[in-house]
Amino acid sequence: MNKVILAGRLTRDPEVRYTQSGKAVASFTLAVDRRFGRRNAEANGQPTADFIPIVVWERLAEVCGNNLIKGSQVLVEGRMQVRSYDAQDGSKRYVTEVVANEVEFMGSRPQREGGAPMPQGGYQQSAAPQQQAPQANNSFGPSIPDEEIPF
Amino acid sequence: MNKVILAGRLTRDPEVRYTQSGKAVASFTLAVDRRFGRRNAEANGQPTADFIPIVVWERLAEVCGNNLIKGSQVLVEGRMQVRSYDAQDGSKRYVTEVVANEVEFMGSRPQREGGAPMPQGGYQQSAAPQQQAPQANNSFGPSIPDEEIPF
Amino acid sequence: MNKVILAGRLTRDPEVRYTQSGKAVASFTLAVDRRFGRRNAEANGQPTADFIPIVVWERLAEVCGNNLIKGSQVLVEGRMQVRSYDAQDGSKRYVTEVVANEVEFMGSRPQREGGAPMPQGGYQQSAAPQQQAPQANNSFGPSIPDEEIPF
Amino acid sequence: MNKVILAGRLTRDPEVRYTQSGKAVASFTLAVDRRFGRRNAEANGQPTADFIPIVVWERLAEVCGNNLIKGSQVLVEGRMQVRSYDAQDGSKRYVTEVVANEVEFMGSRPQREGGAPMPQGGYQQSAAPQQQAPQANNSFGPSIPDEEIPF
DNA sequence: TTTT
DNA sequence: TTTT
């Protein structure tokens, strides 16, 4: 069990890259507000949010690339992952990321600077992982008619 | 471990009652969309949402009563609970509810019919459980200054 | 967002059935302890656990049927779902279930009465949803070698 | 919303320290298995687990210190938190931790080397956050008798 | 009995 | 109808 659920806003547009074998990978950082501290914290010089790196793969990566921008408010579900790499000074460094398997749009849509709002309305462009997680709606849903339920 | 996280909209204004000892209890129903089914499901006569009863206690109950209305979009965290009661015909019935310990406002604020929008803006009226869950921000937050952290 | 995580023990062996189209469906009830109430609650005649119906589909259903028995301790991840049906007296009744998309074995293995322990040891029989949720391990895991990661 | 749920084993005994004002802080690392990769991953030189730093405060910290040891299997609920500090070379480094507000014992109890098993049986020593999270059982539980429920 |  |  390694489960993470975060609600927050992108600090920048997502960056989409491709592996050598052609898999899409999107990455962005989520600003997740620490609830109660905000005002006092600002006064205290304390952090008011956690900035958490998110990684998304394959089709969902492309959907994020096409639909999210800096400021977009999202709900992310995934798992924590710790990668290590060797720094230039020879020491080992650790990076903690959340690998998302679900990204839901929430709330208000940010405008592109000087531009039109993002086309986030319809299901077609939804970042919800359609083929990646068909099981999310596999029962009593459209794919299994009532007559099929054996109890 | 008994953990539930739901995002949805209230189907009606919350109802606030009081126990004999004066504890506030709010109850409402959350409509939680089933993601992928919506369009097809409607055509198929399948349900497009789950309607889930939520129960909230004490101060958070009052905050919900003062800030949420039919249509409000919220994020709820709590636990599943099954109560039983005896029906008039002598049989035992079971009711499943989610007892919320956290309720966060999300997205757009519904308007009162023919009225002004709800005053959901500020932190003062937030439904976030302030004194109920102080531990949610108990570390590295305002209550524990940096000099206090022993590592 | 409709997410549930429960830890508990099966109150009976799982029941596996098949839809008309041949999909497997397992169902069982999880006893989920209410943490702090146990002793006092027993003395008070209060419930000490919630009994929550779980539904599992397809391959994971079969794995549950083959590996879980009454008393098995599991960690379940899924979503809440409310079904309605018409009672004999013409009234509408509601049933709340958790549709599991992940079932992890935990802790001690119960013995079959008068028999050998269940063969829950190996990965082969694991109830973890292998093909249902390949994305759960799709990054930095075996399927994507390090050389593939573009950052 | 910033929610994390992890199941894993402690890589070492927890370390308990105290802030200047006397608050207890426990820290330990959880090894959380990546489910499907284990065997292949080992063969591939890939990581088979994520090693995630956990921080626990106040009474729960002390309970962890008294009850958990290297190898203990636990279920942790908390939130992700990113701290920054200035490295000796002047660069800024980031540390991601999970601040736990609930720690449940699971499964088998490790033995102290050459010693007796830890006394993890009873409620008295439970790591469940008793006073920290009284709301977790605040409804329909011992603290609110049936006669009090107004519906 | 249901929300958008 | 319930598990340990």
Side-chain angles (χ1 to χ4, degrees):
Chain A
M1 171 75 32
N2 180 336
K3 192 79 35 188
V4 178
I5 296 168
L6 302 171
R9 295 183 173 274
L10 302 227
T11 62
R12 308 185 48 176
D13 292 359
E15 219 178 307
V16 182
R17 305 189 193 187
Y18 290 84
T19 67
Q20 290 169 17
S21 62
K23 275 187 205 300
V25 203
S27 47
F28 54 85
T29 296
L30 250 203
V32 179
D33 280 334
R34 296 186 181 179
R35 200 178 349 273
F36 316 124
R38 194 162 185 114
R39 284 169 187 177
N40 297 340
E42 253 157 35
N44 292 348
Q46 299 273 9
T48 65
D50 291 289
F51 294 91
I52 297 176
I54 312 289
V55 175
V56 191
W57 286 88
E58 307 199 71
R59 191 179 121 67
L60 185 53
E62 298 178 313
V63 178
C64 287
N66 291 334
N67 288 279
L68 301 178
I69 60 173
K70 176 179 173 174
S72 294
Q73 196 182 0
V74 294
L75 200 43
V76 165
E77 196 246 301
R79 62 189 181 82
M80 288 182 69
Q81 184 172 259
V82 181
R83 278 190 302 139
S84 68
Y85 65 93
D86 300 305
Q88 314 91 302
D89 65 358
S91 66
K92 223 177 181 77
R93 299 280 172 74
Y94 296 90
V95 179
T96 301
E97 296 156 320
V98 168
V99 182
N101 45 50
E102 224 172 285
V103 178
E104 279 183 44
F105 298 141
M106 273 171 51
S108 52
R109 292 113 208 238
Q111 300 249 144
R112 286 240 90 112
E113 283 158 55
M118 294 291 288
Q120 292 176 0
Y123 249 81
Q124 255 50 261
Q125 305 107 314
S126 163
Q130 268 135 318
Q131 48 281 70
Q132 271 106 323
Q135 81 284 10
N137 199 29
N138 67 354
S139 87
F140 310 115
S143 60
I144 302 180
D146 275 356
E147 315 83 73
E148 286 277 334
I149 310 297
F151 52 90
Chain B
M1 171 74 32
N2 180 336
K3 192 79 37 189
V4 178
I5 295 169
L6 303 170
R9 306 187 97 97
L10 301 227
T11 63
R12 307 185 50 177
D13 292 359
E15 218 178 309
V16 183
R17 307 192 193 183
Y18 290 85
T19 67
Q20 290 169 17
S21 63
K23 274 185 205 304
V25 202
S27 48
F28 54 85
T29 295
L30 249 203
V32 179
D33 280 334
R34 295 184 183 183
R35 201 179 349 272
F36 316 124
R38 196 170 180 110
R39 284 169 188 176
N40 299 340
E42 253 157 35
N44 292 347
Q46 299 273 11
T48 64
D50 291 289
F51 295 93
I52 298 177
I54 311 290
V55 175
V56 191
W57 286 89
E58 306 199 72
R59 191 177 123 68
L60 185 54
E62 298 179 311
V63 177
C64 287
N66 292 333
N67 288 280
L68 301 177
I69 61 173
K70 176 178 174 175
S72 294
Q73 197 182 0
V74 293
L75 199 43
V76 165
E77 194 247 302
R79 63 190 182 82
M80 288 183 68
Q81 183 172 261
V82 181
R83 278 189 303 138
S84 69
Y85 65 93
D86 300 303
Q88 313 90 303
D89 65 359
S91 67
K92 224 176 181 80
R93 299 282 170 72
Y94 296 88
V95 179
T96 302
E97 296 155 319
V98 168
V99 182
N101 45 51
E102 225 173 286
V103 178
E104 279 184 44
F105 297 140
M106 274 171 51
S108 52
R109 292 111 208 241
Q111 301 250 144
R112 287 240 89 114
E113 284 159 54
M118 294 292 288
Q120 292 176 0
Y123 248 82
Q124 254 51 262
Q125 305 107 312
S126 164
Q130 269 134 317
Q131 48 281 70
Q132 273 106 323
Q135 82 282 12
N137 199 29
N138 68 352
S139 86
F140 309 117
S143 60
I144 302 180
D146 276 355
E147 315 83 73
E148 286 277 335
I149 310 299
F151 54 90
Chain C
M1 172 74 32
N2 180 336
K3 192 81 32 191
V4 178
I5 296 170
L6 302 171
R9 307 186 97 98
L10 302 228
T11 63
R12 306 186 50 177
D13 292 359
E15 218 176 308
V16 183
R17 306 191 193 185
Y18 290 86
T19 67
Q20 290 169 17
S21 63
K23 274 188 205 301
V25 202
S27 48
F28 54 84
T29 295
L30 249 203
V32 179
D33 281 334
R34 295 186 183 180
R35 200 178 349 274
F36 317 125
R38 198 169 177 109
R39 283 166 187 182
N40 299 341
E42 254 158 34
N44 292 347
Q46 299 273 11
T48 64
D50 291 288
F51 295 92
I52 298 176
I54 311 290
V55 175
V56 192
W57 286 89
E58 306 198 72
R59 191 179 121 68
L60 185 53
E62 299 178 311
V63 177
C64 287
N66 292 333
N67 288 280
L68 300 179
I69 61 174
K70 175 178 174 176
S72 293
Q73 197 181 1
V74 293
L75 201 43
V76 165
E77 196 247 301
R79 63 189 181 82
M80 287 184 69
Q81 184 173 258
V82 180
R83 279 188 301 140
S84 69
Y85 64 93
D86 299 305
Q88 312 92 302
D89 64 359
S91 66
K92 222 177 183 79
R93 299 282 171 73
Y94 296 88
V95 179
T96 302
E97 296 156 320
V98 168
V99 182
N101 45 50
E102 224 174 286
V103 177
E104 279 184 44
F105 297 141
M106 275 171 50
S108 51
R109 292 111 207 241
Q111 300 250 143
R112 286 241 92 111
E113 283 159 55
M118 294 291 288
Q120 293 177 358
Y123 248 81
Q124 254 51 260
Q125 304 109 313
S126 162
Q130 267 133 320
Q131 48 281 70
Q132 272 106 325
Q135 82 283 12
N137 199 30
N138 68 352
S139 86
F140 309 116
S143 60
I144 301 179
D146 275 355
E147 314 84 73
E148 286 277 335
I149 310 299
F151 53 90
Chain D
M1 171 76 33
N2 179 336
K3 192 78 35 188
V4 178
I5 296 169
L6 302 171
R9 295 183 173 276
L10 301 226
T11 62
R12 307 186 50 177
D13 292 359
E15 217 178 307
V16 183
R17 306 191 194 184
Y18 290 85
T19 67
Q20 291 170 16
S21 63
K23 275 188 205 300
V25 202
S27 48
F28 54 85
T29 296
L30 249 203
V32 179
D33 280 334
R34 295 186 182 180
R35 201 181 346 275
F36 317 125
R38 197 169 182 106
R39 284 169 188 176
N40 298 339
E42 252 157 37
N44 292 348
Q46 299 273 11
T48 64
D50 291 289
F51 294 91
I52 298 177
I54 311 290
V55 175
V56 192
W57 287 89
E58 306 199 72
R59 192 180 120 67
L60 186 53
E62 298 178 313
V63 177
C64 287
N66 292 334
N67 288 279
L68 301 178
I69 60 175
K70 176 179 173 173
S72 294
Q73 196 182 0
V74 293
L75 201 43
V76 165
E77 195 246 301
R79 64 191 180 80
M80 288 183 70
Q81 184 173 261
V82 181
R83 278 189 302 139
S84 69
Y85 65 94
D86 299 303
Q88 313 92 300
D89 64 359
S91 68
K92 222 175 182 80
R93 301 280 172 72
Y94 296 89
V95 179
T96 301
E97 297 156 320
V98 169
V99 181
N101 45 51
E102 225 173 285
V103 177
E104 279 184 43
F105 298 140
M106 273 171 53
S108 52
R109 292 113 207 239
Q111 300 250 146
R112 288 240 90 111
E113 283 158 55
M118 294 290 289
Q120 292 177 0
Y123 248 83
Q124 255 51 262
Q125 305 106 313
S126 163
Q130 269 136 317
Q131 47 280 72
Q132 272 108 323
Q135 81 284 11
N137 198 30
N138 67 354
S139 87
F140 309 116
S143 60
I144 301 180
D146 275 356
E147 314 83 73
E148 286 277 334
I149 310 298
F151 53 89

